[in-house]
Amino acid sequence: MVYSDIAIFALLFAVFFDLFGIKTQLLTRVAFWTSYAIILPFQLITNWWLTSRNIVMYNPDAIMGIRVASAPLEDLLFGFALVLCVMAMWVYWGRKGVQKR
């Protein structure tokens, strides 16, 4: 698998995990998109810093070639998937903790 395939798979997994797996449905909430809007600039800055200084390098054959802030588009897709999954699990486990009390 190349990085593009992994990033697209991670994105699809995260969407299905949120909407149908644990059914937190964060993608339908304004609060999630507001949170992501706060996270995204920091992700872009970090990606730019790491890739523009060649601290992190990508094989051109393993990525689509589209870059945002010097990092491959796949980094944004993978980062979005990570944020969505972590936030969905946070909400899910938070609900479970509230129900036990």
Side-chain angles (χ1 to χ4, degrees):
M1 272 189 148
V2 295
Y3 190 54
S4 299
D5 297 335
I6 295 168
I8 291 168
F9 175 78
L11 176 65
L12 293 174
F13 174 83
V15 169
F16 280 95
F17 182 69
D18 172 52
L19 296 176
F20 306 110
I22 59 177
K23 300 179 183 176
T24 52
Q25 299 185 332
L26 291 181
L27 290 172
T28 65
R29 299 182 189 187
V30 173
F32 168 77
W33 292 105
T34 303
S35 299
Y36 188 68
I38 294 167
I39 294 166
L40 182 60
F42 294 101
Q43 181 185 357
L44 291 172
I45 290 167
T46 303
N47 285 351
W48 168 80
W49 191 81
L50 291 170
T51 56
S52 67
R53 287 168 173 67
N54 290 329
I55 295 168
V56 176
M57 295 178 285
Y58 295 92
N59 179 346
D61 296 331
I63 61 173
M64 289 184 263
I66 301 167
R67 291 189 174 255
V68 178
S70 182
L73 176 63
E74 291 86 344
D75 273 3
L76 288 177
L77 299 178
F78 191 67
F80 179 84
L82 289 174
V83 168
L84 177 58
C85 283
V86 168
M87 290 177 75
M89 288 185 292
W90 183 277
V91 169
Y92 178 77
W93 287 329
R95 287 179 184 164
K96 290 289 187 186
V98 170
Q99 292 173 359
K100 288 182 181 178
R101 291 183 183 170

